[in-house]
Amino acid sequence: MASEPQPSTVHEGADNEDAPVPTNAEDRKTAAAMSNLEGRGDEDDSRNGKHVDAEALGKAMQSLSVESGADKAAEKKVKVEAVDVSLLVEQLELSKIKATELLKAHEGDAVKAMTAFVMAAV
Amino acid sequence: MPQTLSSKDQANFRSLVRLYEAKQYKKAIKTADQILKKNANHGETEAMKALTINSQGNQEEAFALGKVALQHDMKSHITWHVYGILWRSVKNYDEAIRAYKMALRIEPESAQILRDLALLQVQMRDYQGHIQSRKLMLQAKPTLRQNWTGLAVAHHIAGELKAAESMLETYEGTLKQQPSRADSEHSEAALYRNMIIEEEGDNERALEHLNSIKKTNLDRTAVLEVEARLLLKLGRLEEAEKAYRGLVDRNNEYRAYFEGLEKSMGLDRAKESDIPKLVELYESYASKSERLDAARRIPLDFLEGERFEKAADAYLQRMLRKGVPSTFTNIKGLYADESKRKIIIKLVEGYLSIAPEKSESESNGDKPDRLRESTLFYLNQHYNYHITRDLDKALKYVEEVIKLAPKNIVYIQAKARVLKHLGNVTKAAEIMEFARASDEKDRYINTKAAKYQLRNNDNDRAVKTMSKFTRNEAVGGALGDLHDMQCMWFLTEDGEAYVRRGKLGLALKRFKSIYDIFETWYEDQFDFHFFSIRKGAVRAYMDLLRWEDHIRDHPFFSRAAINAINIYCQLYDDPSLAGPQVNGSIDFDKLDANEKKKALKKAKKEQEKQEKVEAERRESERKAMLKSQKAQKKDPDAEVKQADADPNGKKLLETKTPLDDATPYVNFLLEFAPKNIESQFAGFDVFVRKAKILLALKCIQAAHQINPDHPGLHERLTRFRKTLDASESSNPKVAQVIKSCISIIPASSGLSEANESYLTKHKSSPQHIYSALRTRAFLDPSSKAQNEKELLTSLDHASLEDAIDGLALLKRWGSKEDVKSKYVDAAMKKWSEATVLSGGANASAGAER
């Protein structure tokens, strides 16, 4: 149903979170706020929270940005061919995302990925 | 473009919002029209109007207007928010999330939009997105405890335990003083934190934390259980034993406490030397009260030989003398062990010779031969049970016990059960109906009677029976109420009865209802995302989320899904099944082509006539209902449930894409019940027809892992080979995958020979024979007569269940009536009671009025 006729700009924005640079100031502000959110989490030590002053909610709020650990930089870069992705999508009825994940887990080798998929233990 | 209203219209707009929230939809629409009169194309007003229309139940119109509103004002968070709500109401959560995000971009401060977004994200299990939204909510209002808890939950379900704990810890740290003892939200949060610590695997710290909250926590049972568990995990056995003894004192029938107690005492059931200690332990508890069951029953699990016999004797006599009807149910768990089974039956049969004790009976005013009565009933159940089945004996005992107590419904029902197992579904239903009629207030027996009517393929009477306890003014009458109440056993049995009657449309309809009910259960969690966090009932909420993630592993789902998939595969193989069915009493095969056409035409006409009558009936029902609603002066704004437009499942049946329709069932089945070999078969059956080679291969190799000797495997392996040989255009990479996985697939040449040798190898197992015969029919369609003959001879080794399957096979093959009746006659010689073979009520498919 997403293909219902809509103004092209609208559709694009709704489709994609990181839409092209917003045109008005308000939107830019929002976008900035959102991207700020994603920036946190480089320091990973949840215990920092312990030193928070018992009464200072404000401080607690600051520490909030420190809490969320789990940075995703560790993900390996594996080259995945688009042809292979569509092959997996077609053959295994997977979503594009899942197919890409599966390929990445097998060094982008479609045969290995599909074999592993088929032979998986129950 | 942002559009401004005059101050008067602004006031009107505010009252429009209020009216909508107060559910005064008619007035709201009036107000909206008033504003739009002066400000044509005012997007936000249009959006509010669309929302109102949606609430009135007109989704299409609402969507159309919602989109117009968006075109008129795409810079408004209201139009986007409404658009999101519209998507949400049709359960398209992805689109709804997109719309909400747009609305938020325009109005980042809106708490309401943010909240709606967060709820959708957790529903969709978008863990990271949910964390972000919860974080924003917390930043907006850090003083609210629920916002902290909400973020903790968001981290927790995303698997980030440390972050989750630190949220709770941080908030606790900001409290100026300890909350009052009656603060249940605080108490819950404390236990929730403890649960997270335990899940982190840090038992030491969990115990430490538990001790700090132990005194004040309101959920005493939970605290004590967690304490005992942690002590046990930490190996602090003495303290653990004390804790478990405390728990047993609180509830001395709860098996888990006894289990914990055994472990904390270091006792091992497998060790011979520990047995006396175990006996002593349970005796010490049993001696505390005459009424305790657990302490007496548990030892039967680990005792063996003579000691078992003595204990079982005491237990059985105690129960049977009291006349506990559930004695067999309590005991049958032991039947897995053959030696125990033998000891038990020897004991119970011995009780028949014990003379009734006069003195006892007089003092209690009880029946003098209660022991005899309950012994006979036990013996009936014993011989009715599938492991120890001997139906002649079961029948003999139940008739004896009915002589002692002719009015006891329990015994009459047991007799019906024996007859059902004998295959006499007709008489079983009659007897159950007799039992029902003798106590019309008893809902249990009413339900049983309906089930037996369904087993007898008597769908209409079953609904009538059920209707004695349903709300019959519901839309769709009794059947509608059974849907509303999500009465799954009924829908399943009803559907299976329709399958047996060849009414595939109605059958599909019922299985679809089961599918929908599970969908509803998944949807139902939506309200709790908000409610539970606000109420602070977090532990129960986490349980709910985890349960929702695997609800479809329930056997009811598998059963309905496999049935539905089977029908869809049949429809794909033979699309004419969706057309009008010729009256089964005519031998269709005997007619020539011209006559066939005529018969089909006649059948079609009849069907149309029937449909017309039914449509009229529904129409008049609907009118009557509207009338009664009017009479009750019902609120016109109230939700009106639409009557079903396709009550017979005709549309479901006439699908052009049966395999695609089966796909959702297959996907859930393979995801949630992969260890059930029938799931893998169902998946294979669909994929092989769709020519999805690799997916079919995956299913078949999974099935091979589960049970390489299953009869269903052979026919599918052969079919896979044939399909593989027929599809040439395969991608080279796919071919390579197949090559490396092919070890279990038979070679292309000599398939028939292999099948014949399979047949010889398994010549005494009917199910394997069926598989081979199906394979032969598949490889060589001209082999029908031979297959039918061999099917008949396979009856020698068959059980009644096998014979039922064999008959179904003849139906699938479209065998002639005389072949079928010959088979039935031969089978009836073996099982004289088995009316189930002649089809119960509504014997010939489609032959009822």
Side-chain angles (χ1 to χ4, degrees), chain B residues 13-49:
Chain B
F13 185 78
R14 278 195 295 276
S15 84
L16 163 61
V17 175
R18 264 201 309 280
L19 285 169
Y20 168 74
E21 278 165 1
K23 295 190 173 173
Q24 301 190 329
Y25 299 136
K26 276 193 175 163
K27 280 188 190 163
I29 297 235
K30 233 184 227 165
T31 316
D33 287 339
Q34 222 175 333
I35 305 173
L36 287 173
K37 216 187 243 169
K38 276 184 256 166
N39 311 274
N41 303 343
H42 183 252
E44 296 184 345
T45 308
E46 284 169 339
M48 281 312 295
K49 189 179 168 187

Coordinates of all heavy atoms in Angstrom, one line a residue, chain B residues 13-49:
Chain B
F13 N -12.1 24.3 16.3 CA -11.2 23.1 16.1 C -10.9 22.4 17.5 O -10.9 21.2 17.5 CB -9.9 23.6 15.5 CG -8.9 22.5 15.1 CD1 -9.2 21.7 14.0 CD2 -7.8 22.2 15.9 CE1 -8.3 20.7 13.7 CE2 -7.0 21.1 15.6 CZ -7.2 20.4 14.5
R14 N -10.7 23.3 18.5 CA -10.4 22.7 19.8 C -11.6 21.8 20.3 O -11.5 20.8 20.8 CB -10.1 23.8 20.8 CG -8.6 24.2 20.7 CD -8.2 25.0 22.0 NE -8.9 26.3 22.1 CZ -8.5 27.4 21.4 NH1 -7.4 27.4 20.7 NH2 -9.2 28.5 21.5
S15 N -12.8 22.4 20.0 CA -14.0 21.6 20.4 C -14.1 20.4 19.6 O -14.6 19.3 20.1 CB -15.2 22.5 20.4 OG -15.8 22.5 19.1
L16 N -13.7 20.4 18.3 CA -13.7 19.2 17.5 C -12.8 18.1 18.1 O -13.2 17.0 18.2 CB -13.2 19.6 16.1 CG -12.7 18.5 15.1 CD1 -13.9 17.5 14.9 CD2 -12.2 19.0 13.8
V17 N -11.6 18.5 18.5 CA -10.7 17.5 19.2 C -11.4 17.0 20.4 O -11.4 15.8 20.7 CB -9.4 18.2 19.5 CG1 -8.5 17.2 20.3 CG2 -8.7 18.6 18.2
R18 N -12.0 17.9 21.2 CA -12.6 17.4 22.4 C -13.8 16.4 22.1 O -13.9 15.4 22.8 CB -13.2 18.6 23.2 CG -12.2 19.1 24.3 CD -13.0 19.9 25.4 NE -13.8 20.9 24.8 CZ -13.3 22.1 24.4 NH1 -12.1 22.4 24.5 NH2 -14.2 23.0 23.9
L19 N -14.6 16.8 21.1 CA -15.7 15.9 20.8 C -15.2 14.6 20.3 O -15.8 13.5 20.7 CB -16.5 16.6 19.7 CG -17.4 17.7 20.1 CD1 -18.0 18.5 18.9 CD2 -18.6 17.2 21.0
Y20 N -14.1 14.6 19.6 CA -13.6 13.3 19.2 C -13.2 12.5 20.3 O -13.5 11.3 20.4 CB -12.4 13.5 18.2 CG -11.7 12.2 18.0 CD1 -12.2 11.2 17.1 CD2 -10.4 12.0 18.6 CE1 -11.5 10.1 16.9 CE2 -9.8 10.8 18.4 CZ -10.3 9.8 17.5 OH -9.7 8.7 17.4
E21 N -12.5 13.1 21.3 CA -12.0 12.4 22.4 C -13.1 11.9 23.3 O -13.0 10.8 23.9 CB -11.0 13.2 23.2 CG -9.6 13.2 22.6 CD -8.7 14.3 23.2 OE1 -9.2 15.1 24.0 OE2 -7.6 14.4 22.7
A22 N -14.2 12.6 23.3 CA -15.4 12.2 24.0 C -16.2 11.2 23.3 O -17.3 10.8 23.7 CB -16.2 13.4 24.4
K23 N -15.8 10.8 22.1 CA -16.4 9.8 21.2 C -17.8 10.3 20.8 O -18.7 9.5 20.5 CB -16.6 8.5 22.0 CG -15.3 7.8 22.2 CD -15.4 6.4 22.7 CE -14.0 5.8 22.8 NZ -14.0 4.5 23.4
Q24 N -18.0 11.6 20.7 CA -19.2 12.1 20.1 C -19.0 12.4 18.7 O -18.8 13.5 18.2 CB -19.6 13.4 20.9 CG -19.8 13.1 22.4 CD -20.5 14.3 23.1 OE1 -20.3 15.4 22.7 NE2 -21.2 13.9 24.1
Y25 N -19.0 11.3 17.9 CA -18.5 11.4 16.5 C -19.4 12.2 15.7 O -19.0 13.0 14.8 CB -18.4 10.0 16.0 CG -17.3 9.2 16.8 CD1 -17.6 7.9 17.1 CD2 -16.2 9.8 17.2 CE1 -16.7 7.1 17.8 CE2 -15.2 9.0 17.9 CZ -15.5 7.7 18.3 OH -14.6 7.0 19.0
K26 N -20.7 12.1 15.8 CA -21.7 12.8 15.0 C -21.5 14.3 15.1 O -21.4 15.1 14.1 CB -23.1 12.5 15.3 CG -23.5 11.2 14.6 CD -25.0 11.0 14.6 CE -25.4 9.8 13.8 NZ -26.7 9.3 14.1
K27 N -21.4 14.8 16.4 CA -21.2 16.2 16.6 C -19.8 16.6 16.1 O -19.7 17.7 15.5 CB -21.3 16.5 18.1 CG -22.7 16.5 18.6 CD -22.7 17.0 20.1 CE -24.0 16.9 20.7 NZ -24.0 16.9 22.2
A28 N -18.9 15.8 16.2 CA -17.5 16.1 15.8 C -17.5 16.4 14.3 O -16.9 17.3 13.8 CB -16.5 15.0 16.1
I29 N -18.2 15.5 13.6 CA -18.2 15.7 12.1 C -18.9 17.0 11.7 O -18.5 17.7 10.8 CB -19.0 14.5 11.5 CG1 -18.2 13.2 11.7 CG2 -19.2 14.7 10.0 CD1 -17.8 12.4 10.6
K30 N -20.0 17.3 12.5 CA -20.7 18.5 12.2 C -19.8 19.7 12.4 O -19.7 20.6 11.5 CB -21.9 18.6 13.2 CG -23.2 18.9 12.5 CD -24.3 19.0 13.5 CE -25.5 18.2 13.2 NZ -26.5 18.1 14.3
T31 N -19.1 19.7 13.5 CA -18.1 20.8 13.8 C -17.1 20.9 12.7 O -16.8 22.0 12.2 CB -17.5 20.6 15.1 OG1 -18.4 20.2 16.1 CG2 -16.8 21.8 15.6
A32 N -16.6 19.7 12.3 CA -15.5 19.7 11.2 C -16.1 20.4 10.0 O -15.4 21.2 9.3 CB -15.0 18.3 11.0
D33 N -17.3 20.0 9.6 CA -17.9 20.5 8.4 C -18.1 22.0 8.5 O -17.9 22.7 7.5 CB -19.2 19.8 8.1 CG -19.0 18.4 7.6 OD1 -17.9 18.1 7.1 OD2 -19.9 17.6 7.7
Q34 N -18.4 22.5 9.7 CA -18.6 23.9 9.9 C -17.3 24.6 9.6 O -17.3 25.7 8.9 CB -18.9 24.1 11.4 CG -20.0 25.1 11.6 CD -20.4 25.1 13.1 OE1 -20.2 24.1 13.8 NE2 -20.8 26.2 13.6
I35 N -16.2 24.1 10.1 CA -14.9 24.8 9.9 C -14.5 24.7 8.4 O -14.1 25.7 7.8 CB -13.8 24.1 10.7 CG1 -14.1 24.1 12.2 CG2 -12.4 24.8 10.5 CD1 -13.2 23.3 13.0
L36 N -14.8 23.6 7.8 CA -14.4 23.4 6.4 C -15.2 24.2 5.5 O -14.7 24.6 4.4 CB -14.5 21.9 6.0 CG -13.4 21.0 6.6 CD1 -13.7 19.5 6.3 CD2 -12.0 21.4 6.1
K37 N -16.4 24.6 5.9 CA -17.2 25.4 5.0 C -16.5 26.8 4.8 O -16.4 27.3 3.7 CB -18.5 25.7 5.8 CG -19.7 25.8 4.8 CD -21.0 26.2 5.5 CE -22.0 25.1 5.5 NZ -23.1 25.4 6.4
K38 N -15.9 27.3 5.8 CA -15.3 28.6 5.7 C -13.8 28.4 5.2 O -13.3 29.3 4.5 CB -15.3 29.3 7.0 CG -16.6 30.1 7.2 CD -16.6 30.9 8.5 CE -17.5 30.2 9.5 NZ -17.2 30.7 10.9
N39 N -13.2 27.4 5.6 CA -11.8 27.2 5.3 C -11.6 25.9 4.5 O -11.2 24.9 5.0 CB -10.9 27.1 6.5 CG -11.2 28.2 7.5 OD1 -10.6 29.2 7.4 ND2 -12.1 27.9 8.4
A40 N -12.1 25.9 3.2 CA -12.0 24.7 2.4 C -10.5 24.3 2.4 O -9.6 25.1 2.5 CB -12.4 25.0 1.0
N41 N -10.3 23.0 2.4 CA -8.9 22.4 2.3 C -8.1 22.7 3.5 O -6.9 22.7 3.5 CB -8.1 23.0 1.1 CG -8.9 22.7 -0.2 OD1 -9.8 21.9 -0.2 ND2 -8.5 23.4 -1.2
H42 N -8.7 22.9 4.7 CA -7.9 23.0 5.9 C -7.5 21.6 6.3 O -8.3 20.8 6.8 CB -8.7 23.7 7.0 CG -7.9 23.9 8.2 ND1 -8.1 23.2 9.4 CD2 -6.8 24.7 8.5 CE1 -7.2 23.6 10.3 NE2 -6.4 24.5 9.8
G43 N -6.2 21.3 6.2 CA -5.7 20.0 6.3 C -5.9 19.4 7.7 O -6.4 18.2 7.8
E44 N -5.7 20.2 8.7 CA -5.8 19.6 10.1 C -7.2 19.2 10.4 O -7.5 18.2 11.1 CB -5.2 20.5 11.1 CG -3.7 20.7 10.9 CD -3.0 21.6 11.9 OE1 -3.7 22.3 12.6 OE2 -1.8 21.6 12.0
T45 N -8.1 20.1 10.0 CA -9.6 19.7 10.2 C -10.0 18.5 9.4 O -10.6 17.6 10.0 CB -10.4 20.9 9.8 OG1 -10.0 22.1 10.4 CG2 -11.9 20.7 10.2
E46 N -9.5 18.4 8.2 CA -9.8 17.2 7.4 C -9.2 16.0 8.1 O -9.9 14.9 8.1 CB -9.2 17.4 6.0 CG -10.0 18.3 5.1 CD -9.3 18.6 3.8 OE1 -8.0 18.5 3.8 OE2 -9.9 19.0 2.9
A47 N -8.0 16.1 8.6 CA -7.4 15.0 9.3 C -8.3 14.6 10.5 O -8.5 13.4 10.7 CB -6.0 15.4 9.8
M48 N -8.7 15.5 11.3 CA -9.5 15.2 12.4 C -10.8 14.5 12.0 O -11.3 13.6 12.6 CB -9.9 16.4 13.3 CG -8.8 16.9 14.2 SD -8.0 15.6 15.2 CE -9.4 15.1 16.2
K49 N -11.4 15.0 10.9 CA -12.6 14.4 10.4 C -12.3 13.0 9.9 O -13.1 12.1 10.2 CB -13.1 15.3 9.2 CG -14.5 14.8 8.7 CD -15.0 15.7 7.6 CE -16.3 15.1 7.0 NZ -16.7 15.8 5.8

